[in-house]
Structure formats: C-alpha cells, structure tokens
Amino acid sequence: MKTSTRFLCSAALLAGMAVVSPAASVFYDNFDGYADQAAFEAAWTPIGTVTPLSATLATDQASSPLQSVRIDGTATTGQQRNQHSFAGTGPIDTLTTISFSFDFYDSNPAAAPYRQFSVLQDGTGTATGQIVGMGLNNNQLASASGGNFYMARITGYTPLAIDPDGGPGESGTLTSGMFFKLNDFASSPLRTVGWHNLKVVIGTDDGLSADFAFYVDNLLAERVNNVGTAAQFRSYDYIRLGSGFSNAGNAAWYDNFSVDVTAAAVPEPSTVGLCLFGALALIFSRGRQRRQA
Ligand SMILES: [Ca+2]
Ligand SMILES: [Ca+2]
C-alpha cells in the first residue's frame, strides 16, 4: 500500500472509530428562538394546576444568550411547570446510550436544597426508570450525605447507605425514587451561585439492567449501576421543566435542554472494505514486482 493510501486508511479508520459514536439529537432547545411567551408555551405545554401555570421565557439570566426559562420563587405548589414531547429515544442496549442534559441556574446555594428540578420521562410502562430527574429537592438538608451537592432521582431506585463508588453514604431514611446527592467523588462539584450543567448518561454494560452516570459541569459526580431489568429499559419521550412544587421562595433558571442517543464505536463497514481492498492491491503489486525482479 502506498504511504498515502495507508495514511488515508489509518486516518479513515481512526475517524470511523470516533465518528461512529454519532450522537443523534432527539431533542434540543436553547429557548433563544422564541419570539415571546406565547411562542414558548406553544412548544412547552403549561401543565401547572394553579396559576401561573407556565414557567416564564426570561432574559434576566441565560446560559446561551439571550433567553432561558425562569421558575419563580413561590410558596405555592402546582405552579409553573411545562412539558415538551418528542419522538421516543428508543430503549438502550449494550451499544446504545441515552443522554439528558440541561443548564441550571442555582440562585441560592446558601439555602437548604429546594424543589427546583427537571425530569426526563417515559409516558408508558411501570415505575422503575420511568422518570430520571436532576436539580435540587427538599428531602435532604445541605449538610446531609456529605455536603451541598446537586441531586438526582430515578424512579424505582433506592439509594444505598454505602455507595460502591465510595464517597459519603446517603443520610436519613432511604426510600424508592428519592432524590440523592451526586457525591461519589472528590471532584463531584458542590453548589455555587450561577449556571451549572447537569447531565445523565443511561446505558447498560450487560444488557440486563440499566446503568446511570451523572455529571455536574461535565465532571462525573455519581454512578448508579444495575437498576431494574431489561424489560424496564425505556424509550423516553418527554421532558418536564420545573418541579411543580413550592420551592421556599427560591427561583431557578433552565436553559439548553438536550436529549441524545449515541451508538457505540464500531468502524464503518465501507471504510473497512476500502482499506481491505487497498491492502489486497498492495500484496498483489508487491508479488508482481518480485516476479519482475
Ligand atoms: Ca438560551
Ligand atoms: Ca453517592
């Protein structure tokens, strides 16, 4: 194989390995394209039960300029919650992961954790894994479970008092579906004022149960492995923005929601085929050169 061909094939194979982890975007919204509140509500259906029913398209904070969505501080439950549906992600398998990510503006980390969160949800099926939420909830104090970390929940999953990944155990009474702290590692970020990215990557290493990796500001903060069964793998099909609960008067902002499905890295057959063809051509031409010598 000529050097140029060999180089191209190496590059193509390397690119193939990287490229063939394509993240297919199932959903993305940065809120910057909405002309007004009505346009936002047309896309994100208000599902509050007490007025104001909807979160507010806002410019007072934005992770991606100029707009985000604000959920006001309130002492009333049932207000300011919205839902956006999309085509289902399809279920995970050993070669496929689902990631859910959004930016969260923490307005008051000095306060005890309050009910400001958003969830990825599957409209059908039994409880386990049906809802995956990230943000803050008031079931734990700031000092509980090792400190003032961001939080998450998975329906049907009961956090462990002793985490196999290390880090502080979960404090208090452990119940199914409760919010737990993202506290596994020394690098797990603590709460600070301002924007933070919260992300979960859902996969399965054995095809038998689901594994969840939670990231805060793109740092791995908590792993939860072996949840449920293969029959409970989900095709998620909507996001709910905001908790719909009272939040002790603490506002939060949300921006840049995304849901992606990513396939595992396998070289593309066409690339492999081209390189095999190149290698065979090289062997043939060397044989011919030898016979001519
Ligand atoms: Ca934005
Ligand atoms: Ca933990």
Side-chain angles (χ1 to χ4, degrees), residues 29-32 58 61-69 254-256:
D29 199 343
N30 61 17
F31 304 107
D32 300 330
Q61 298 291 347
S63 179
S64 56
L66 294 170
Q67 299 183 136
S68 71
V69 168
Y254 301 79
D255 206 346
N256 299 330

Side-chain angles (χ1 to χ4, degrees), residues 14-253:
L14 277 173
M17 309 277 275
V19 172
V20 191
S21 294
S25 177
V26 175
F27 180 78
Y28 178 71
D29 199 343
N30 61 17
F31 304 107
D32 300 330
Y34 297 116
D36 53 26
Q37 178 70 20
F40 162 66
E41 290 186 25
W44 288 79
T45 308
I47 56 169
T49 55
V50 178
T51 54
L53 307 183
S54 177
T56 303
L57 186 69
T59 54
D60 45 356
Q61 298 291 347
S63 179
S64 56
L66 294 170
Q67 299 183 136
S68 71
V69 168
R70 184 182 69 245
I71 291 186
D72 298 315
T74 180
T76 305
T77 283
Q79 297 177 331
Q80 301 184 84
R81 199 175 199 207
N82 298 65
Q83 175 173 311
H84 200 306
S85 301
F86 45 84
T89 57
I92 51 170
D93 57 39
T94 54
L95 299 176
T96 309
T97 62
I98 297 167
S99 69
F100 169 51
S101 164
F102 60 90
D103 295 338
F104 176 76
Y105 188 94
D106 188 350
S107 65
N108 192 6
Y114 39 83
R115 294 188 287 193
Q116 283 278 12
F117 55 81
S118 286
V119 306
L120 178 68
Q121 194 155 340
D122 176 6
T124 58
T126 53
T128 299
Q130 184 184 6
I131 301 170
V132 184
M134 295 181 289
L136 298 168
N137 193 58
N138 65 356
N139 63 310
Q140 297 202 46
L141 295 173
S143 58
S145 306
N148 202 13
F149 299 94
Y150 292 97
M151 303 171 75
R153 71 176 296 228
I154 304 163
T155 47
Y157 167 70
T158 304
L160 306 172
I162 298 174
D163 194 307
D165 284 322
E170 291 299 304
S171 306
T173 305
L174 305 178
T175 57
S176 177
M178 69 178 270
F179 272 86
F180 49 88
K181 298 280 183 85
L182 304 179
N183 63 0
D184 273 3
F185 307 107
S187 55
S188 299
L190 290 165
R191 293 176 61 197
T192 60
V193 172
W195 286 104
H196 294 277
N197 179 260
L198 304 176
K199 180 174 75 173
V200 58
V201 178
I202 309 167
T204 174
D205 61 351
D206 56 9
L208 302 174
S209 57
D211 307 316
F212 298 76
F214 292 92
Y215 297 79
V216 177
D217 297 332
N218 288 312
L219 292 171
L220 181 63
E222 175 87 27
R223 286 188 299 201
V224 175
N225 292 329
N226 306 322
V227 175
T229 66
Q232 293 162 327
F233 290 167
R234 298 289 171 172
S235 179
Y236 294 97
D237 50 18
Y238 57 91
I239 292 168
R240 284 185 166 173
L241 192 171
S243 72
F245 291 116
S246 62
N247 52 37
N250 294 289
W253 287 256

